[in-house]
Amino acid sequence: AFLTAAERKAMSAMQQRKGPNVVGFLGLLQPIADGLKLFVKETTIPSTANPINFVVAPVLTFFLSLLAWAVIPVNQSSTLADLHT
């Protein structure tokens, strides 16, 4: 979370904008404000959408993208999933 605040501060300096230091002392409360905002936000499902597909599709996409990392070798002798056997 604090790495995100550091990234925002660096990006604002590059773009010559005011950084995330407007919340709390030196921007240290910005990650807490972001987390609070994330939990308070209401999920709205469009009335014409299938609610099951609307919720399951992002979760499925996330897990399939994680599954793609399983075949990348970690080091010379080990991988998470050995597909050569």
Side-chain angles (χ1 to χ4, degrees):
F2 289 104
L3 185 59
T4 303
E7 178 188 10
R8 286 182 179 181
K9 197 166 188 84
M11 295 296 266
S12 67
M14 284 185 233
Q15 298 172 3
Q16 298 175 349
R17 294 186 295 132
K18 187 185 265 189
N21 57 354
V22 295
V23 180
F25 177 70
L26 296 175
L28 295 177
L29 296 178
Q30 184 68 43
I32 296 169
D34 289 342
L36 183 65
K37 182 175 122 181
L38 177 68
F39 286 114
V40 172
K41 286 180 83 170
E42 178 183 349
T43 303
T44 52
I45 299 175
S47 60
T48 58
N50 183 345
I52 295 172
N53 288 343
F54 193 80
V55 173
V56 171
V59 174
L60 180 65
T61 304
F62 175 70
F63 282 118
L64 289 176
S65 66
L66 285 180
L67 187 64
W69 282 89
V71 295
I72 297 176
V74 177
N75 58 25
Q76 190 71 1
S77 62
S78 69
T79 58
L80 295 176
D82 188 14
L83 300 178
H84 294 295
T85 58

